[in-house]
């Protein structure tokens, strides 16, 4: 284990010599564009489901299946981690964004909810990996002095994707678009245009990554020492240095064994579940699962639930519980009404405001990156308290406020991501992160689908269970190492 630490120390010293300048900002900007594109494709889909609910004739359970479909790609988390560890972080990002863009565009012309389900599940198999890949790529391309701050900023842009999705929805969904496409017999309405627009940033992200270098740490771990030094030199020059002035001591290079997929899985994964990494793996996997599941479930159901609550208020129902919105979904499905693609203005403004609040909150805590353990404990306590209040309050607007506060667990994802970068050796860091996100997305998928399946009869119980696990997250966070350690 000491050799791994020595190798990481040598690399960090070499990366710090490249300085901090234009290249680092280019990497941060490109990763931010990519992760916002992924957030639009994954979390913006909840707005698509809410807007298409009437035209596609969706029931409550079908809404639950669709809003959970972006997480079906979780089964590919390990293959993507293996691909990133064997073929390169940058290569994996370019492939993910390109294929995600294609299937995102195809989903805009879905003829029924089944086609939308399939295209989104396939596309998400590629775009889901971007959350892991960008974290790993950025963490290995930025010096240790700015790494934690940049990772927090990246997570803020992830949250900021919601701001963009609700902003686009506010302007696009009210448009009077109804272009009939005869060869598939659909009317290209505003929600389809919205779906198409949200896929475009993925293509932009793919193009931007083509102008960046491969992760130098990945090249070192592959045994390509000369190529890694060339990349570090290019970074130094891009940051404003003179090529002749870049001098570093020889880097430690470990021989690379190009084994098969299964052999690599055993070789990379086995250290994660054996001492001394076993406890940390269980701890970080659990915390990441809680943070992702609580925030993702609330995000994916937010447009549908808020639209039902605000429409109930506008109809004169002021003394209702938040969970009564599930009954309204069923009633709207059974009613013979003219479809309206747009959501209520209050829903879009609330979604935008909440997303902006969480993004600003996450950006604010970047200044307190050294207190990441305290941040984790605090956000889990807040999320648990909010879950309880949603269940007991009968004032709809107050319930909406506490429901949206559940999303603050997104702030914790940035903190947990920095622990993945700090506590794992490079040889299994990509795999550890991808497996962690795979487990987290599994719980997100279960949560979003379960809410649709049993929400009508057990809504309050769902929030009480969420509160319990959120409080347990605070307890587990207490045993995380501080920055000093």
């Amino acid at each position: 284990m000491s050799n791994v630490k020595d190798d990481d120390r040598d690399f960090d010293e070499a990366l710090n010599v490249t300085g901090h300048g234009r290249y680092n900002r280019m990497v941060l900007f490109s990763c931010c564009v990519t992760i916002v594109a992924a957030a639009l494709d994954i979390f913006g889909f909840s707005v698509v489901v809410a807007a298409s609910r009437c035209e596609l004739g969706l029931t409550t359970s079908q809404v639950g299946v669709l809003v959970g479909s972006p997480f079906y790609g979780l089964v590919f988390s390990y293959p993507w981690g293996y691909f990133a560890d064997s073929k390169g972080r940058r290569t994996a990002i370019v492939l993910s964004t390109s294929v995600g863009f294609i299937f995102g565009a195809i989903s805009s012309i879905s003829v029924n909810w089944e086609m939308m389900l399939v295209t989104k599940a396939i596309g998400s198999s590629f775009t889901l990996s971007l959350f892991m890949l960008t974290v790993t790529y950025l963490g290995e391309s930025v010096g240790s002095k700015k790494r934690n701050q940049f990772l927090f900023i990246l997570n803020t842009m992830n949250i900021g994707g919601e701001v963009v999705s609700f902003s686009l929805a506010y302007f696009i969904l009210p448009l009077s678009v109804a272009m009939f496409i005869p060869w598939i017999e659909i009317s290209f309405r505003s929600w389809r245009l919205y779906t198409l627009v949200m896929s475009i940033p993925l293509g932009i992200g793919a193009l931007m990554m083509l102008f960046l270098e491969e992760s130098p740490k990945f090249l070192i771990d592959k045994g390509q020492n000369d190529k890694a030094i060339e990349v570090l030199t290019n970074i130094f020059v891009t940051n404003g240095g003179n090529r002749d002035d870049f001098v570093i001591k020889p880097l430690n290079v470990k021989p690379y064994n190009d084994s098969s997929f299964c052999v690599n899985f055993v070789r990379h994964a086995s250290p994660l579940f054996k001492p001394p990494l076993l406890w940390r793996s269980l701890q970080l996997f659990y915390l990441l699962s809680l943070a992702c599941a609580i925030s993702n479930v609330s995000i994916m159901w937010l447009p549908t639930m808020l639209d039902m609550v605000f429409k109930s208020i506008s109809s004169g129902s002021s003394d209702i519980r938040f969970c009564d919105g599930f009954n309204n979904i069923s009633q709207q499905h059974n009613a013979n009404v003219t479809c309206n693609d747009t959501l209520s203005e209050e829903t879009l403004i609330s979604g935008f405001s909440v997303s902006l609040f969480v993004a600003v909150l996450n950006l604010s805590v970047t200044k307190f990156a050294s207190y990441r353990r305290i941040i984790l404990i605090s956000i889990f306590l807040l999320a648990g308290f909010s879950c309880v209040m949603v269940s007991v309050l009968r004032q709809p607007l107050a319930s909406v406020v506490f429901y949206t506060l559940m999303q603050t667990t997104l702030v914790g994802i940035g903190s947990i991501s920095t622990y993945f970068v700090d506590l794992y050796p490079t040889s299994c860091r990509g795999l550890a992160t991808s497996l962690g996100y795979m487990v987290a997305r599994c719980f997100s998928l279960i949560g979003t689908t379960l809410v649709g399946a049993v929400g009508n009869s057990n809504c309050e119980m769902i929030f009480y269970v969420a509160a319990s696990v959120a409080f347990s997250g605070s307890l587990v966070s207490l045993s995380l190492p501080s920055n000093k350690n």
Side-chain angles (χ1 to χ4, degrees):
M1 192 69 182
S2 60
N3 290 334
V4 172
K5 290 182 179 179
D6 289 341
D7 290 345
D8 284 346
R9 186 179 300 113
D10 289 342
F11 170 73
D12 276 337
E13 291 175 356
L15 191 58
N16 286 332
V17 171
T18 64
H20 178 76
R22 185 160 65 95
Y23 182 81
N24 304 97
R25 291 189 290 270
M26 288 169 57
V27 170
L28 177 62
F29 182 71
S30 299
C31 287
C32 287
V33 170
T34 302
I35 206 167
V36 167
L40 287 175
D41 185 70
I42 300 298
F43 301 112
F45 186 65
S46 62
V47 178
V48 174
V49 173
S52 64
R53 190 173 66 242
C54 183
E55 181 180 345
L56 298 181
L58 303 178
T59 63
T60 304
S61 59
Q62 289 170 349
V63 170
V65 172
L66 279 176
V67 296
S69 61
F71 303 112
Y72 291 171
L74 62 91
V75 295
F76 295 97
S77 291
Y78 169 67
W80 275 116
Y82 171 78
F83 187 87
D85 283 343
S86 59
K87 303 300 181 181
R89 323 308 196 194
R90 173 177 167 271
T91 303
I93 293 174
V94 171
L95 180 61
S96 298
T97 48
S98 300
V99 179
F101 163 70
I102 293 172
F103 279 93
I106 294 175
S107 67
S108 67
I109 56 173
S110 299
V111 298
N112 50 42
W113 78 273
E114 290 90 351
M115 179 180 175
M116 180 182 287
L117 174 65
V118 172
T119 54
K120 179 52 62 176
I122 296 176
S124 68
S125 300
F126 290 85
T127 54
L128 265 177
S129 65
L130 292 171
F131 297 102
M132 173 271 296
L133 293 173
T134 52
V135 167
T136 305
Y137 179 74
L138 181 63
E140 295 179 352
S141 301
V142 177
S144 57
K145 294 181 180 179
K146 292 287 185 178
R147 184 177 297 144
N148 283 353
Q149 183 180 6
F150 272 32
L151 287 172
F152 268 99
I153 294 174
L154 184 65
N155 188 55
T156 301
M157 294 300 102
N158 175 17
I159 302 172
E162 290 184 75
V163 178
V164 179
S165 67
F166 281 104
S167 299
L168 291 173
Y170 185 85
F171 291 104
I172 295 177
L173 291 182
L175 296 177
S176 299
V177 179
M179 182 178 66
F180 183 71
I181 304 178
W183 55 281
I184 52 177
E185 296 185 348
I186 65 168
S187 179
F188 196 86
R189 301 164 66 92
S190 60
W191 68 266
R192 298 182 184 275
L193 175 62
Y194 174 74
T195 307
L196 178 62
V197 170
M198 286 201 305
S199 68
I200 294 176
L202 286 170
I204 297 175
L207 293 175
M208 295 181 68
M209 292 302 299
L210 293 175
F211 294 94
L212 300 178
E213 303 282 353
E214 179 57 84
S215 162
K217 184 56 178 167
F218 162 77
L219 295 173
I220 293 174
D221 200 47
K222 288 276 287 184
Q224 301 178 20
N225 193 40
D226 293 339
K227 178 63 175 177
I229 293 178
E230 179 185 346
V231 168
L232 290 171
T233 304
N234 292 337
I235 294 175
F236 178 74
V237 173
T238 306
N239 283 338
N242 191 316
R243 185 175 296 271
D244 296 332
D245 296 335
F246 185 71
V247 179
I248 59 173
K249 65 180 182 180
L251 300 173
N252 289 331
V253 180
K254 294 179 291 183
Y256 177 74
N257 181 20
D258 192 11
S259 306
S260 66
F261 180 91
C262 294
V263 171
N264 267 295
F265 176 80
V266 175
R267 181 166 61 89
H268 287 180
S270 57
L272 303 179
F273 303 103
K274 294 190 300 185
L277 293 177
L278 173 61
W279 163 241
R280 290 302 177 201
S281 295
L282 296 176
Q283 185 182 33
L284 292 178
F285 281 28
Y286 181 72
L287 291 176
L288 186 61
S289 297
L290 293 188
C292 287
I294 294 174
S295 61
N296 289 343
V297 172
S298 62
I299 289 170
M300 300 307 288
W301 277 96
L302 184 140
T304 300
M305 293 303 300
L306 260 61
D307 197 48
M308 292 295 98
V309 169
F310 283 119
K311 287 180 178 178
S312 296
I313 296 175
S314 63
S315 64
S317 302
S318 58
D319 186 23
I320 62 172
R321 296 175 302 168
F322 190 84
C323 288
D324 293 336
F326 284 99
N327 296 327
N328 292 335
I329 296 176
S330 300
Q331 292 171 5
Q332 186 188 66
H333 172 68
N334 295 328
N336 184 18
V337 297
T338 301
C339 290
N340 184 3
D341 293 341
T342 191
L343 305 179
S344 67
E345 185 175 352
E346 293 85 357
T347 299
L348 297 176
I349 293 177
S350 297
F352 173 86
S353 301
V354 171
S355 303
L356 184 61
F357 165 74
V358 177
V360 171
L361 176 64
N362 196 77
L363 188 60
S364 299
V365 301
T366 60
K367 299 298 182 182
F368 306 95
S370 58
Y371 300 96
R372 51 186 173 174
R373 183 175 61 178
I374 297 176
I375 292 172
L376 274 177
I377 296 171
S378 301
I379 63 101
F380 279 125
L381 288 174
L382 177 60
F385 176 74
S386 299
C387 290
V388 173
M389 297 305 294
V390 169
S391 184
V392 301
L393 290 176
R394 296 190 62 87
Q395 214 292 328
L397 291 180
S399 298
V400 167
V401 171
F402 283 106
Y403 178 81
T404 55
L405 285 176
M406 292 167 57
Q407 294 187 33
T408 54
T409 56
L410 277 172
V411 177
I413 296 177
S415 299
I416 300 170
S417 297
T418 62
Y419 280 111
F420 273 97
V421 174
D422 288 348
L423 300 181
Y424 288 105
T426 307
S427 59
C428 60
R429 184 180 297 155
L431 175 60
T433 309
S434 64
L435 285 179
Y437 275 96
M438 182 182 72
V439 175
R441 289 160 189 158
C442 181
F443 280 98
S444 299
L445 172 60
I446 293 173
T448 51
T449 307
L450 189 65
V451 169
V454 302
N456 283 328
S457 56
N458 297 283
C459 179
E460 291 84 1
M461 182 58 65
I462 291 175
F463 283 105
Y464 286 131
V465 171
S468 300
V469 296
F471 289 137
S472 71
S474 294
L475 295 177
V476 175
S477 299
L478 287 171
S479 58
L480 285 171
S482 65
N483 252 27
K484 293 182 180 180
N485 296 327

